[in-house]
Amino acid sequence: MRLSRYFLPVLKETPSEAQIVSHRYMLRAGMIKQSSAGIYSWLPLGFKVLRKIEDIIHEEQKRAGHIPMLMPTIQSADLWRESGRYDDYGEEMLRIRDRHDRDMLFTPTAEELITDIFRSHVGSYKDLPLTLYQIQWKFRDEIRPRFGVMRGREFYMKDGYNFDLTKEDALHAYNRHLVSYLRTYERMGLQAIPMRADSGPIGGDDTHEFLVLAETGESEVFYDSQITELKFGDREIDYDSVEQCQAVLEEFTSRYARTDETHDEALFAEVPEERRRTARGIEVGQIFYFGTKYSEPMGATVVDNEGNKVPVHMGSHGIGVSRLLGAIIEASHDDKGIIWPEGVTPFHCGIVNLKQGDEEADAACEALYTSLTALGLEPLYDDRNERAGGKFATMDLIGLPWRITVGPRGLKNGVVELTSRRTGESEELSPEAAVARIAQIYGVVAKG
């Protein structure tokens, strides 16, 4: 993409309503624009990152054997009355009526809807296990939306639902989700710690939240510092193996890590004092096992191998897709702007032409742009007739992890400058070597 043709409405001044870093930078970098309280339009740069995050989630869900689908944003209140949640959910639910005076609601979560789909089409234990998921817009009418996409009313969410014959099978699904979530967050450059949490209106006894440590986090968290040393890495896991998935659960949840809602001072005191930590955390996902909470009242049953009709065991598993953008920025920024991890960056690198209109500089930038694009990479070429300082400021603000700077002086020596946004370190390379280096960083095979 050439910046002269892109829609990137960057702001020089910080809007007064932005209280935290992610909200400030998302507005200033032209990623979002507020439509009304807690509701945002996603502008091209923000939308690109949203799609990058969504793609990673899809890849890891499919790797775990989960099946994507899509459900509507508007649900019938009758399903929620069946489960008993319609009156209990509270004022966060946006209740509406259609022209026929039927009670409807804007989806805050979809346990009832997915249970209705399951009971309509599945009747035998032979069709289990089954996990279905979607990535869809949700709405919760927050009393005080704030912090941009971190606590909005409309939000983009991955929600998955497992159906199993027994509790043991459902707990394996729980563990499988935990493994897939660990992989997902690490691919986004995040360390999201699974913490024992409260189930809230979803229900159930077994639940973990995944929290990213950040000063602006809404939750107070208590944890053993050893847990921050754990990495999932590139290990291969057989998702069908109960033993392997259970081992990962034990590895990542055996040390103390809890939110303030479930914090236990006596248990925390058993952690060696030098390892006790208190911090703030941003919730970016949660997994639940709730057994037959929905299947029993809604009649979601299967016939088991002995001919008995039994309610299925269920769980639900969510990732805040839009919230993740804010969490990543809160965890990865400096005083100049965003620093995107390579896994979610909107463009793989930026190309800055220091002297637009100079024949040699223009030609070198075009050649770099063409070479990177031919490799399947997406560069953002700042071809505007602007001062170099302004171009650098824009690149720093939008946070692309790598920048190639091209100017007449360097080209006389046959080099361009490759700069890391994270470290600020630069090196001079030939244009061909710079392309090869970017290709290597993103795991692309450069054509010889």
Side-chain angles (χ1 to χ4, degrees):
M1 178 58 65
R2 299 168 193 274
L3 195 48
S4 62
R5 301 178 187 175
Y6 197 52
F7 182 60
L8 187 68
V10 297
L11 305 176
K12 291 183 179 179
E13 302 297 325
T14 299
S16 58
E17 73 270 22
Q19 297 175 299
I20 62 172
V21 168
S22 58
H23 194 193
R24 291 200 297 268
Y25 283 155
M26 289 184 78
L27 290 170
R28 285 197 55 214
M31 298 179 71
I32 56 173
K33 183 183 186 302
Q34 182 169 300
S35 171
S36 59
I39 301 175
Y40 292 87
S41 295
W42 290 79
L43 307 183
L45 192 74
F47 185 62
K48 275 184 74 68
V49 182
L50 196 68
R51 283 285 179 255
K52 290 283 185 80
I53 289 172
E54 185 179 357
D55 288 346
I56 291 172
I57 293 169
H58 275 304
E59 288 167 13
E60 292 304 329
Q61 287 299 297
K62 293 174 186 176
R63 187 197 298 268
H66 306 157
I67 304 167
M69 61 175 295
L70 189 64
M71 291 179 276
T73 58
I74 303 297
Q75 297 185 34
S76 167
D78 291 341
L79 288 174
W80 286 65
R81 290 191 175 107
E82 270 192 75
S83 72
R85 278 208 301 175
Y86 186 67
D87 294 322
D88 294 342
Y89 201 86
E91 294 184 358
E92 283 189 355
M93 181 189 288
L94 184 61
R95 294 166 169 84
I96 53 182
R97 285 191 174 179
D98 66 12
R99 68 196 307 169
H100 301 292
D101 212 30
R102 290 175 295 215
D103 289 326
M104 311 292 283
L105 58 98
F106 196 117
T107 301
T109 182
E111 283 80 8
E112 285 81 1
L113 190 57
I114 195 71
T115 303
D116 180 55
I117 291 169
F118 177 88
R119 71 183 178 183
S120 300
H121 298 288
V122 180
S124 170
Y125 75 97
K126 295 178 182 178
D127 297 320
L128 303 180
L130 178 65
T131 296
L132 302 169
Y133 79 94
Q134 67 169 348
I135 299 178
Q136 177 62 294
W137 291 99
K138 306 288 192 303
F139 190 91
R140 292 176 189 163
D141 201 5
E142 295 278 355
I143 189 170
R144 192 162 65 93
R146 60 192 188 278
F147 303 154
V149 300
M150 296 287 286
R151 197 173 181 86
R153 293 193 295 165
E154 185 183 53
F155 54 96
Y156 204 41
M157 180 179 171
K158 174 263 165 183
D159 48 317
Y161 307 89
N162 66 282
F163 301 88
D164 291 277
L165 184 62
T166 66
K167 179 178 180 178
E168 291 72 26
D169 293 340
L171 288 175
H172 173 56
Y174 184 94
N175 296 351
R176 192 172 65 239
H177 278 86
L178 182 134
V179 174
S180 69
Y181 279 22
L182 290 171
R183 285 184 58 96
T184 298
Y185 295 127
E186 284 194 13
R187 284 186 60 186
M188 296 176 190
L190 289 173
Q191 181 175 47
I193 302 170
M195 298 193 178
R196 177 65 64 181
D198 181 68
S199 61
I202 302 294
D205 297 325
D206 291 273
T207 180
H208 281 87
E209 284 180 351
F210 291 79
L211 288 105
V212 174
L213 300 179
E215 292 179 2
T216 50
E218 294 176 298
S219 302
E220 187 175 17
V221 296
F222 304 82
Y223 62 96
D224 180 338
S225 63
Q226 279 192 343
I227 202 165
T228 60
E229 299 167 11
L230 298 176
K231 297 285 186 291
F232 189 86
D234 57 1
R235 68 179 92 173
E236 288 297 324
I237 292 291
D238 178 0
Y239 282 102
D240 292 328
S241 169
V242 172
E243 294 76 16
Q244 287 187 35
C245 292
Q246 178 67 25
V248 174
L249 174 92
E250 291 173 0
E251 178 185 354
F252 281 84
T253 64
S254 59
R255 295 164 183 82
Y256 191 93
R258 296 194 177 205
T259 63
D260 50 2
E261 295 170 319
T262 59
H263 178 54
D264 186 319
E265 276 292 348
L267 286 177
F268 193 47
E270 295 177 10
V271 177
E273 187 175 358
E274 68 276 8
R275 296 195 336 234
R276 288 181 220 152
R277 299 287 187 275
T278 303
R280 309 295 298 180
I282 300 168
E283 182 201 341
V284 292
Q286 191 163 3
I287 55 178
F288 303 86
Y289 162 71
F290 42 69
T292 59
K293 174 180 171 67
Y294 299 93
S295 56
E296 281 196 27
M298 297 186 68
T301 61
V302 295
V303 176
D304 66 17
N305 58 358
E306 296 179 352
N308 302 310
K309 189 179 280 190
V310 296
V312 292
H313 287 255
M314 293 174 58
S316 66
H317 316 276
I319 291 179
V321 182
S322 51
R323 170 179 272 246
L324 270 167
L325 274 84
I328 291 169
I329 294 170
E330 291 294 331
S332 185
H333 68 272
D334 61 16
D335 59 0
K336 295 178 182 177
I338 303 163
I339 306 174
W340 291 117
E342 280 83 358
V344 297
T345 181
F347 295 95
H348 294 104
C349 71
I351 301 171
V352 171
N353 189 340
L354 292 180
K355 194 170 183 181
Q356 198 70 37
D358 178 88
E359 186 175 341
E360 191 176 3
D362 289 356
C365 287
E366 289 291 342
L368 284 166
Y369 184 84
T370 301
S371 297
L372 289 164
T373 303
L375 291 172
L377 296 169
E378 287 188 281
L380 179 64
Y381 172 23
D382 191 343
D383 60 341
R384 300 172 302 161
N385 190 21
E386 299 281 347
R387 294 182 302 105
K391 292 187 175 188
F392 289 147
T394 296
M395 285 292 174
D396 284 343
L397 174 62
I398 67 175
L400 307 186
W402 297 92
R403 185 186 77 226
I404 301 174
T405 305
V406 180
R409 186 180 303 172
L411 289 174
K412 284 179 181 173
N413 297 319
V415 297
V416 296
E417 188 176 71
L418 179 64
T419 303
S420 164
R421 174 70 180 90
R422 186 167 299 279
T423 66
E425 295 176 358
S426 298
E427 58 180 319
E428 292 186 337
L429 299 166
S430 69
E432 297 77 16
V435 170
R437 178 83 176 100
I438 295 294
Q440 178 190 36
I441 289 166
Y442 289 102
V444 175
V445 178
K447 297 171 184 176

